Structures are given as structure tokens and as C-alpha cells.
Amino acid sequence: MSASATNADLKKAMAEGRFREDLYYRLAVVVIQLPALRDRDGDVRLLAQDFLHRFAAENGRDELAFDQDAIKALSRHDWPGNVRELENRIKRAVIMAEGKRVTAGDLEFNPGGTPVSGPTLKEAREAVEREMIRQVLREHRGKMSAAAAELGISRPTLYELMEKLGMPRTNREAEQ
């Protein structure tokens, strides 16, 4: 058995010629329309508790529970990513929580319940990597082999990392 889901209005898309009618009827054997998570306030808490218990058990952290600020933040959020956003926030919070309580911060919410703005973990890691490479290259006056050795990586890996991070090579670096 297979399933498909969309938040697009396929009947409207068919009427506008943006979706094939034959494909719609192939997919639309049983159509279930659910309101967005933001319109189902009581469901947020129930789903959040279920996700917390599931992910806590998977990670050997059965003692985890939400603190009051986390519960308030969950109910205040609009959930533009719907259930998948809720699931991912809780999965990440279970991993990030340090004590026995999942906080609003663990869910990446500010104390008022708004999402934390700022870099993602990937962006923060890349910023640190970029700065470390710049610093080591300055210390070694652009000598790639010496910089790579200090960073504990090979010179080709350093080149690849710099390219991935969008770091240009200076003329001195390119000559090596």
C-alpha cells in the first residue's frame, strides 16, 4: 500500500491547468482533508507528548518531560512546517536537552515562544571552521601544507573544505 500527501489544492490546480486530471483521479482513491496543525491547538500537545516519549525511549532518556515554558512555546507557535516541524523540533530537543526537562531553548524557541533566530547548527559549525582556517593560514603566512598539518587534515582536504566553505585562495595559496 502506498500513500501520498500534499498541502496544495489539487482541484484548484486542475481547474487552472497546473495538474493533470488523470493523475488526480489515480491518486485520489481516498481523500482525507486535515486542518493545519496551527488550527488544532489541542493536537499540538498530544503529538508533542507522543513524539517526546518515542524519541526519549529511542535515546535511552525515558525520564524526559517538558517544562512549563516548553509547553507554552509549543502552543504559541504557528507550525508552518506542520507535524513534520513539530516532530523534528522534538527529536532535536531530546538530543540537545541536558537535564530531565526539555526547555523552550531545547526546542529552539526564545522564552516568549518565538523561534530562535540565528544560525543553524550547520551554519555555526561552518562559521567556526571558516574562522579557524583563516586564523591558521594567517599564522602560517598562507602555506597550505603547514596550515593543513596544524588543522590535522591533508592539504587536499583543506582545499576541498575551503571550496565547500566558499573561501577563495589567495595568490600565494594558489602558487603552492
Side-chain angles (χ1 to χ4, degrees):
M1 182 170 138
S2 63
S4 58
T6 182
N7 60 358
D9 184 344
L10 295 181
K11 287 186 178 181
K12 182 180 176 188
M14 277 190 322
E16 295 171 351
R18 295 183 296 114
F19 195 82
R20 289 182 10 211
E21 189 173 356
D22 65 308
L23 184 55
Y24 174 80
Y25 289 110
R26 182 176 290 222
L27 294 172
V29 176
V30 176
V31 176
I32 301 171
Q33 295 204 340
L34 291 173
L37 186 57
R38 69 181 154 273
D39 298 330
R40 300 180 288 155
D41 186 47
D43 289 357
V44 170
R45 190 167 182 176
L46 290 173
L47 287 166
Q49 288 291 347
D50 182 66
F51 289 141
L52 178 66
H53 292 304
R54 183 180 337 151
F55 298 131
E58 287 175 9
N59 288 279
R61 303 196 61 197
D62 293 321
E63 77 284 355
L64 276 178
F66 292 115
D67 72 8
Q68 287 303 314
D69 287 337
I71 292 169
K72 288 176 189 173
L74 287 165
S75 66
R76 289 182 184 144
H77 188 55
D78 279 341
W79 301 107
N82 249 325
V83 177
R84 284 187 184 96
E85 179 187 359
L86 175 63
E87 182 179 16
N88 288 336
R89 276 185 188 270
I90 293 174
K91 186 182 289 188
R92 191 170 40 246
V94 166
I95 294 166
M96 300 305 291
E98 292 183 11
K100 292 185 178 189
R101 297 279 179 195
V102 172
T103 66
D106 295 328
L107 291 163
E108 297 185 346
F109 288 117
N110 287 320
T114 57
V116 174
S117 59
T120 64
L121 181 59
K122 179 183 178 195
E123 292 166 340
R125 186 182 65 242
E126 287 176 351
V128 169
E129 288 174 343
R130 202 175 284 113
E131 185 52 36
M132 283 184 71
I133 291 169
R134 283 188 187 121
Q135 178 65 34
V136 170
L137 283 171
R138 272 193 302 271
E139 289 172 7
H140 292 282
R141 295 183 192 92
K143 294 179 182 172
M144 298 297 277
S145 294
E150 183 170 328
L151 291 168
I153 58 177
S154 68
R155 197 177 71 197
T157 300
L158 179 57
Y159 287 130
E160 288 173 15
L161 188 55
M162 289 176 67
E163 185 175 328
K164 181 187 105 182
L165 296 171
M167 297 177 70
R169 295 185 195 175
T170 63
N171 288 341
R172 177 162 169 79
E173 294 164 352
E175 293 169 5
Q176 294 183 16

